[in-house]
Structure formats: structure tokens, C-alpha cells
Amino acid sequence: MFNQLPGCWGCKDIHSVFVYANHEYGKIIGVGHHLDCAGRTDFDMPSPTIECAESFRDQDNQVMLSGKRMRVLDIHPYSDGNWRAHLFTKMPWHNEENEVVGTIFSGIELKDTAILEVGHWICRAAGLNDQHQKSFSLDLHRQKVQLNTRESEVLFLLLYGKKPQYIAKVLNVSVKTVENYVIKLREKFNANSKNELIDLALDLGFGSHIPESMLTSQLSIILKE
């Protein structure tokens, strides 16, 4: 069934050991055959993604403990050396007795029209209400505010609901530096608050754009539901 579905699919047991992965996932992770994923963990894959293996395992544990699905934005280089951005969904895997026996994951690469899928989740991550979600536009030609590389990175992470402390850690700068960038962003967008900044940035389509500079540092960001 998994091989008939688009994108990456698979499942892991309670120890985050792969039980199955479909052809698409096997291809990007670099195994000879997708069934070769079985019995391995994320630490054992022939892919640079092993750098985030511990984060993947922590996410699996959160899903199993909470019993709820999780949305994750993943940006990594894969076995062919190319960087890709995916939106992954992880959910609990239940047996016939409704016991959690692992996790099931699915992922879609964010490119071309697929990136439009992100708009709804960015709105949710930013804590915007249904009215804002319905009015959200992904017209990239409306981007009239010019940002430098660091401003683009800070804004991108803000739109995904991340706090200054997290952004500072990801970008390897101080929290004060991040706060100063937020002030600059508010000035450029003529926003009176951070929430207004996020609202205006989404209206201008910035939520659908992943800064190219971020396709050089591996990230695995949990999105707010």
C-alpha cells in the first residue's frame, strides 16, 4: 500500500527501528533497496541525515507518548548530495488492541506546487485564526519588502512559531541579536508588533519561501498544530 502513495512513507517500532520504508524514502536515504531500511535506525542510514538522528528519535518518542500526530519541517542534504526540504507527518502506529507499537511517517518534498501545502501549517504555527488562514495568499510576486540573508532566516523561523531563544540557537547568534533583527523586520514591514509583523509577512507571501541560505544547515523543526 505504501508504495502506491505519493511521497515518502514508512513505519518504525517503539525503539525507532525501521519496519518498512517505501521506494521513495529508500531512494533519497541512499539504500540499495527500500526494504534495506528495515532493521536500521536513523543512526544507521547511509545519508548525512544521521546528523539529526537523535532529533528524529526524540520526535518519535513524543508522538508515541502523546498519541498525537506531529508535523515536522525537515531540511537536509541526502545521499545524492542534494539539499531538500520536506514536510513530514508522524503519527502513532496502533495494533489491533489499540496499543501504540511505533510510529508511521509520511513526507512530501516542498517544491513546485507542493510548497503551497505549507501555507496552512505556517498559519497554524504562527497561531493565526481561521479568518487569517482563509485570506492567506501565496502570490510570490507580492513580495515587495527587501530582506538580507539573516533577516530572511529570522523571519522564516518566526513564521514557523519559533521563539528568539530557539532561533538564536539555530542561527548560532545571541538572543539579543535575534531581537534586534525582529525590530528591523518590524520597521521594514511597518509593523507595530511581532504578531502584526507575522500577519503582514504572511499576506505578502513570505511564508512560502524557504531562504536559500537555510539549505546549508540541517534542520528538523516541529510545527505547532
Side-chain angles (χ1 to χ4, degrees), residues 143-159 181-190 197 200-202 204-207 209 211-213:
Q143 295 185 15
K144 299 179 180 179
V145 180
Q146 298 299 314
L147 304 179
N148 62 35
T149 298
R150 188 63 88 192
E151 289 169 346
S152 296
E153 294 169 344
V154 171
L155 180 61
F156 173 76
L157 292 170
L158 278 178
L159 295 182
Y181 276 114
V182 173
I183 292 174
K184 292 179 181 178
L185 287 166
R186 285 174 52 187
E187 292 174 350
K188 288 194 172 184
F189 283 85
N190 195 26
L197 165 64
L200 291 170
L202 290 174
L204 289 173
F206 282 89
H209 175 67
E212 290 185 9
S213 59

Side-chain angles (χ1 to χ4, degrees), residues 7-9 24-25 28-29 49 71-78 82-89 105-111 114-115 117-118 156 160 210 215 219-221 223:
C8 300
W9 287 81
E24 183 66 23
Y25 188 80
I28 67 169
I29 211 69
T49 53
R71 293 274 182 164
V72 181
L73 173 67
D74 276 301
I75 301 175
H76 308 282
Y78 285 88
N82 292 323
W83 285 79
R84 295 180 177 86
H86 286 84
L87 183 65
F88 274 94
T89 299
F105 67 86
S106 64
I108 184 168
E109 186 173 353
L110 303 183
K111 63 178 182 178
I115 202 167
E117 288 283 321
V118 183
F156 173 76
Y160 274 87
I210 300 175
L215 295 178
L219 293 174
S220 188
I221 304 174
L223 304 181

Side-chain angles (χ1 to χ4, degrees), residues 18-35:
F18 281 81
V19 176
Y20 177 83
N22 71 346
H23 173 76
E24 183 66 23
Y25 188 80
K27 180 179 178 181
I28 67 169
I29 211 69
V31 293
H33 189 281
H34 66 97
L35 295 182

Side-chain angles (χ1 to χ4, degrees), residues 2 17 21 25-26 28 32 36 49 74 80-81 90 103-104 107 112-113 128 135 146 163 177 182 194 208 213-214:
F2 282 150
V17 176
Y25 188 80
I28 67 169
D36 293 338
T49 53
D74 276 301
D80 60 2
K90 298 185 176 185
T103 56
I104 297 174
D112 303 326
T113 56
L128 301 180
S135 66
Q146 298 299 314
K163 298 184 181 299
T177 297
V182 173
K194 186 172 72 173
S208 64
S213 59
M214 297 196 73

